[in-house]
């Protein structure tokens, strides 16, 4: 009975991943995951009337820079920390 349950759980994983990917795509989120964190970053809306899905526009000034559109810039990035990042040594060990 346990092996049958384990096989069913393993078989359900691709379906869950596909469902999660479609939900993230429809909600305009980008997923990044590694062993240290899971991160969801907002993406610009394709149907935004202000930026037309480009995420912002260039401001002409003495130093041109891009101004972010509110369709994605005002939404927070969501992070879940998993494992701590090891400390980076200041100097090489040799």
């Amino acid at each position: 009975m346990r092996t049958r349950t384990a096989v069913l759980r393993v078989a359900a994983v691709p379906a869950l991943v596909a469902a999660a990917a479609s939900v993230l795509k429809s909600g305009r989120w980008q997923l990044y995951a590694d062993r240290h964190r899971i991160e969801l970053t907002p993406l610009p809306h394709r149907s935004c009337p202000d930026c037309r899905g480009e995420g912002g526009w260039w401001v002409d000034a003495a130093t041109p820079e891009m101004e972010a559109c509110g369709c994605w810039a005002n939404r927070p990035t969501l992070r879940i920390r998993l494992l701590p990042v090891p400390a980076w040594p200041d100097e090489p060990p040799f």
Side-chain angles (χ1 to χ4, degrees):
M1 187 65 144
R2 288 185 185 196
T3 57
R4 182 177 176 192
T5 305
V7 169
L8 289 175
R9 286 183 184 170
V10 171
V13 169
L16 289 174
V17 169
S22 66
V23 166
L24 289 172
K25 190 176 259 188
S26 67
R28 302 301 303 153
W29 291 92
Q30 180 180 14
L31 173 69
Y32 174 79
D34 63 9
R35 63 187 223 184
H36 300 292
R37 70 185 175 277
I38 298 172
E39 186 172 288
L40 291 171
T41 307
L43 295 173
H45 293 281
R46 284 183 233 141
S47 61
C48 178
D50 295 329
C51 69
R52 296 178 185 86
E54 294 182 12
W57 49 88
W58 288 99
V59 178
D60 290 328
T63 56
E65 55 186 43
M66 187 172 193
E67 185 174 331
C69 183
C71 69
W72 70 275
N74 297 335
R75 294 174 19 195
T77 298
L78 306 172
R79 288 185 188 97
I80 300 172
R81 289 181 51 188
L82 301 176
L83 293 174
V85 179
W88 192 261
D90 291 337
E91 295 194 18
F94 48 87

